[in-house]
Amino acid sequence: MGTYNFHGNISGPSNFGDNGRIEINHGADAAAVLKVADQLVERLRGESPSLVAQAQVIQGELVQAGQEGRVADRGRIRAALETIGIGVAAGSGSLALAQELARALGL
């Protein structure tokens, strides 16, 4: 059985869970997010070459969405990030970049 820590007014805005540090940034700067995706591709080339294609899926989706003026396909990006997260070593730079992308995109 889990416990949930509720901080703040129960009937109004509250912070749940990790001491109110839940961050969702759906308005991330597109250029900054693409830069992180580029870094992920490069990092994976050295750490886990078999996962480079997944990072390129993310990179390509972000570029294509920007060119077409649409929102990136979050499901496609999420699936690629999950595959990368499963395949890289805990504490690796690749995992940190994948997590940064997920946070920036609100996934």
Side-chain angles (χ1 to χ4, degrees):
M1 181 171 134
T3 60
Y4 296 92
N5 298 316
F6 296 95
H7 307 285
N9 183 349
I10 298 298
S11 62
S14 298
N15 295 315
F16 302 99
D18 67 353
N19 297 319
R21 291 175 292 168
I22 299 170
E23 295 180 20
I24 298 175
N25 182 5
H26 297 287
D29 176 27
V33 172
L34 186 55
K35 183 177 179 182
V36 175
D38 294 342
Q39 291 172 344
L40 179 59
V41 169
E42 290 306 312
R43 180 65 70 123
L44 284 170
R45 284 193 174 127
E47 290 181 0
S48 299
S50 64
L51 295 171
V52 170
Q54 293 299 315
Q56 289 172 331
V57 165
I58 297 165
Q59 188 182 42
E61 178 59 28
L62 292 171
V63 168
Q64 189 174 9
Q67 290 172 344
E68 295 174 359
R70 62 173 173 79
V71 175
D73 183 338
R74 295 166 52 88
R76 187 170 186 211
I77 292 173
R78 180 182 295 117
L81 285 171
E82 287 174 358
T83 301
I84 291 168
I86 291 168
V88 296
S92 69
S94 298
L95 182 59
L97 288 168
Q99 290 171 336
E100 185 177 342
L101 271 174
R103 276 191 301 275
L105 296 170
L107 300 175

